[in-house]
Amino acid sequence: MTETTADNRAKLARSAAIASISVALILVALKSWASWRTGSTAMLGSLADSALDLIASIATLTGVWIASMPADQDHRFGHGKAEALAAIFQVMLIAVSAFGIAARALSQLAGGTQTSAAGEGIAVSAIAIVLTFALLGWQKYVMNRTRSLAIQTDHLHYKSDLLLNLAVIAALVLDQYAGFGMADPLFGLAIAAWLAWGAFTAAREAVDDLMDREWPEEKRLAFVEAAALHPELTNLHDLRTRASGNRDFVQFHVDLPGTMTVEEAHDIIERVEKDLCQRFPNMELLIHIDPQGHVDEPGNPLVEEDEFAKLEGDS
């Protein structure tokens, strides 16, 4: 694969975003018409999901755009939390849609309402599947060349849309051709449950970001192992990690000999920072130097626990 320049990566990412929004607009229009023609709750659920795709694509790209802005005087740590705020907005929309679809499905079960125009509904779902496959192919191409987090998230969501469109086809076939009248509302309830689960998962990830949750244990361990490759460092403690959008933030204390000059200590820390930032891209690193033997907070394991000693204990 040829090297992709930053400008080309930006253009590719924008093209994937435009493609995603365009497909969502077409599907919203088609499924609005199909929902009116068929009266299907499953189709309504699929329409809601496509509408959310459109809003999510716009909200996500807006959040990523803001998150990519450099730090300024009012936001010295950058704007990475904008992605989590965009996700919370999406979660609220998804939860409301899931509740509305479930309520309609229950009403349909109680009233025995029948669907109609299965042919139109199935045709629209088939078109949606074809368009989604085409979009997924382009997104995959762009992802391989840009590693864009926003496009990766969109790609995962559209992959699940394939199952939703197949569910709509199954519901209409069972309801109108197989005579199983409960199929449509039951599929509608299943789609509502799927949307609710997606909302819960997205909310959990967004809250973790906003609450500055520590890195996953395996990533945290990999970082400590990388720092341990520098034998001049001892007693790495008070390690704190968090993520904000697509950027990571890490800080820790490390012991160096008290007799070392400021210039010598600076040169060591500069080499360590350069190596760690190469191993963990998009990371902002802050290292605090303690003289050997110094204790910051006696009895506080969150601060004083030596991460290097834990490595030796696990080996």
Side-chain angles (χ1 to χ4, degrees), residues 3 9 32 62 119 136 150 164 201 283 289:
E3 184 178 355
R9 284 197 295 268
S32 296
T62 301
L136 289 173
L164 285 177
T201 303
M283 177 181 68
I289 303 172

Side-chain angles (χ1 to χ4, degrees), residues 185-207:
L186 289 177
F187 271 95
L189 284 173
I191 292 172
W194 179 86
L195 288 172
W197 174 252
F200 172 77
T201 303
R204 184 172 56 189
E205 293 175 357
V207 169

Side-chain angles (χ1 to χ4, degrees), residues 219-296:
K219 184 176 179 180
R220 203 170 187 272
L221 178 61
F223 181 86
V224 175
E225 290 175 340
L229 296 176
H230 297 271
E232 59 268 44
L233 304 182
T234 59
N235 189 24
L236 190 156
H237 58 284
D238 200 9
L239 172 62
R240 305 182 190 188
T241 62
R242 67 183 179 94
S244 180
N246 63 352
R247 290 191 61 79
D248 289 325
F249 293 84
V250 179
Q251 63 185 66
F252 61 82
H253 290 210
V254 69
D255 286 3
L256 289 177
T259 56
M260 186 175 289
T261 67
V262 172
E263 185 175 3
E264 290 171 337
H266 172 268
D267 290 343
I268 291 173
I269 296 304
E270 194 170 59
R271 288 197 303 270
V272 171
E273 288 179 340
K274 183 177 180 180
D275 175 64
L276 292 176
C277 288
Q278 285 178 341
R279 294 173 184 270
F280 295 84
N282 296 321
M283 177 181 68
E284 186 170 313
L285 179 60
L286 176 64
I287 302 176
H288 176 83
I289 303 172
D290 287 333
Q292 282 182 339
H294 175 79
V295 177
D296 292 305

Side-chain angles (χ1 to χ4, degrees), residues 302-315:
L302 287 177
V303 173
E304 295 301 334
E305 189 170 32
D306 185 359
E307 300 292 337
F308 289 158
K310 286 169 60 179
L311 281 181
E312 295 173 1
D314 293 338
S315 60

Side-chain angles (χ1 to χ4, degrees), residues 38-240:
T38 64
S40 166
T41 299
M43 178 61 78
L44 181 66
S46 185
L47 167 63
D49 187 70
S50 292
L52 289 170
D53 284 346
L54 176 60
I55 297 172
S57 294
I58 296 172
T60 298
L61 289 171
T62 301
V64 170
W65 173 69
I66 296 174
S68 67
M69 292 180 175
D72 56 33
Q73 188 170 357
D74 294 324
H75 306 88
R76 300 300 295 270
F77 288 97
H79 301 78
K81 299 296 184 185
E83 289 193 32
L85 293 175
I88 292 293
F89 173 71
Q90 295 171 42
V91 165
M92 294 169 60
L93 293 176
I94 293 171
V96 170
S97 297
F99 177 80
I101 292 166
R104 178 184 169 90
L106 292 173
S107 175
Q108 192 174 358
L109 281 172
T113 305
Q114 297 294 312
T115 62
S116 59
E120 287 94 327
I122 292 172
V124 166
S125 295
I127 293 172
I129 290 173
V130 172
L131 289 175
T132 302
F133 263 121
L135 176 61
L136 289 173
W138 179 245
Q139 287 179 330
K140 188 70 174 177
Y141 173 85
V142 172
M143 285 160 49
N144 288 337
R145 285 155 178 78
T146 66
R147 297 183 181 180
S148 168
L149 181 62
I151 304 305
Q152 290 176 25
T153 304
D154 234 18
H155 184 76
L156 290 173
H157 196 79
Y158 272 100
K159 283 173 70 174
S160 64
D161 285 358
L162 293 175
L163 295 176
L164 285 177
N165 288 306
L166 290 172
V168 172
I169 293 175
L172 291 172
V173 169
L174 289 172
D175 186 65
Q176 293 191 41
Y177 298 129
F180 183 50
M182 295 177 61
D184 182 65
L186 289 177
F187 271 95
L189 284 173
I191 292 172
W194 179 86
L195 288 172
W197 174 252
F200 172 77
T201 303
R204 184 172 56 189
E205 293 175 357
V207 169
D208 283 348
D209 191 282
L210 291 172
M211 292 295 293
D212 291 334
R213 186 180 180 89
E214 285 286 320
W215 284 359
E217 189 59 33
E218 60 274 12
K219 184 176 179 180
R220 203 170 187 272
L221 178 61
F223 181 86
V224 175
E225 290 175 340
L229 296 176
H230 297 271
E232 59 268 44
L233 304 182
T234 59
N235 189 24
L236 190 156
H237 58 284
D238 200 9
L239 172 62
R240 305 182 190 188

